[in-house]
Amino acid sequence: MRRFPSPAAPVVAGATALLLTLSGTTVSAAADLSTTGSVSSAGSAGSSNPVDALVNGARDMVYSVTDSEFVRAPLAHGILELNKSTPVVILGAQINEDCSLPQVLEDRLDAATTLLKSHPSNPVIVTGGTSSQCPATSEAQAMEKGLQERGVTNRVILENEAWNTLQNVEYTAGTINKLGGTAIVVTSDPHYIRALKNYRDAGIRAFGYVGGKG
C-alpha cells in the first residue's frame, strides 16, 4: 500500500474526511431535515438555506487546501487507494498538424502515468475530440495510445467529442457519477484551476493532479 509523505498525512486525512462529509446528498439531506423536517433529493447548489451556505463556504475552504501544491499529489494517491472505482480523468489538448502530441499533452500523460502505475485497478477517462489539424485521430485516441506506449494497463474509457474544458466536463460527468461522483483530474498548471472549478460546478468531487505548464 502506498504511504503518504509523513508531513502531508494529517492534512490529507483530515481534508479527505471533511470533504466526504461536506459533499453529496448526505449534507443536503441533513440540512433539509434540520430546517424543514423533510429530505429533498436536490443538491445544495444555489440554495438560500443558511446551513447549505455554511457548508458550501467550509467546502471552499477545504478545497483551497486540497488544491495546494503540497497536498495535491498525496491526496490523489490516497483517494485512489481508498476507492478502486474512482477514475483518473486526463484532459486533452489540441494535437499538432502532423498528429503528434503537443508538449503540454505529453506532460499530462507523463503525470497520469506516474499516478496510474501506482493504482492499476482504477479506470482512466481520456477526453478530447478531433480538430481540423488532425481529423483522423481524436485527442482521446491519441492519449490512449500514449498511455499504452508508457506501459499503462488501466482500463481506458474514451470520450471522443469534447472540444473545450466545459465539454470535457459535460461529456464525462455522467460516467464519473456512475463511478461514484469523485474524480482525479489530470491537467496542467494553471489550467487545473479552471478545470476543477468547472467540474465542481457540475457537482463532481474533483481533485487535481498536475503535470507541466499550459
Side-chain angles (χ1 to χ4, degrees), residues 22-33 35 38-53 55-56 59 177 200-205:
L22 296 177
S23 299
T25 57
T26 301
V27 168
S28 296
D32 289 343
L33 186 61
T35 56
S38 62
V39 175
S40 169
S41 61
S44 61
S47 172
S48 59
N49 187 322
V51 175
D52 284 346
V55 167
N56 290 337
R59 184 166 52 228
N177 279 323
R200 290 164 184 169
D201 287 347
I204 301 297
R205 292 185 295 271

Side-chain angles (χ1 to χ4, degrees), residues 80 86-90 112 115-116 122-126 154 183-186:
L80 295 177
T86 296
V88 173
V89 182
I90 311 174
L115 192 60
L116 292 166
N122 292 80
V124 54
I125 303 172
V126 288
N154 301 62
I184 306 301
V185 179
V186 178

Side-chain angles (χ1 to χ4, degrees), residues 135-210:
T137 303
S138 72
E139 295 168 12
Q141 290 169 327
M143 286 189 284
E144 180 185 33
K145 180 181 178 183
L147 290 172
Q148 291 171 346
E149 291 172 345
R150 288 165 169 80
V152 171
T153 59
N154 301 62
R155 177 168 70 97
V156 179
I157 303 168
L158 280 79
E159 185 294 296
N160 289 300
E161 303 296 330
W163 283 13
N164 55 49
T165 306
L166 287 174
Q167 289 183 352
N168 290 143
V169 174
E170 180 182 357
Y171 299 159
T172 61
T175 302
I176 295 169
N177 279 323
K178 288 178 182 178
L179 294 169
T182 299
I184 306 301
V185 179
V186 178
T187 186
S188 26
D189 185 6
H191 181 247
Y192 80 93
I193 299 171
R194 174 162 54 92
L196 292 180
K197 182 181 187 304
N198 292 158
Y199 270 105
R200 290 164 184 169
D201 287 347
I204 301 297
R205 292 185 295 271
F207 303 91
Y209 195 84
V210 174

Side-chain angles (χ1 to χ4, degrees), residues 36 58 61 101 132 152 198:
T36 67
M61 286 189 288
L101 299 184
S132 58
V152 171
N198 292 158

Side-chain angles (χ1 to χ4, degrees), residues 8-23 61-63 65-67 71 75 79 207:
V11 177
V12 170
T16 303
L18 184 54
L19 274 170
L20 291 176
T21 301
L22 296 177
S23 299
M61 286 189 288
V62 174
Y63 277 136
V65 174
T66 64
D67 292 348
V71 173
L75 180 61
I79 290 170
F207 303 91

Side-chain angles (χ1 to χ4, degrees), residues 87-110:
V88 173
V89 182
I90 311 174
L91 303 186
Q94 190 173 51
I95 298 172
N96 296 325
E97 290 184 6
D98 63 357
C99 291
S100 63
L101 299 184
Q103 187 60 51
V104 65
L105 201 46
E106 296 278 12
D107 290 342
R108 292 178 190 179
L109 291 177
D110 287 342

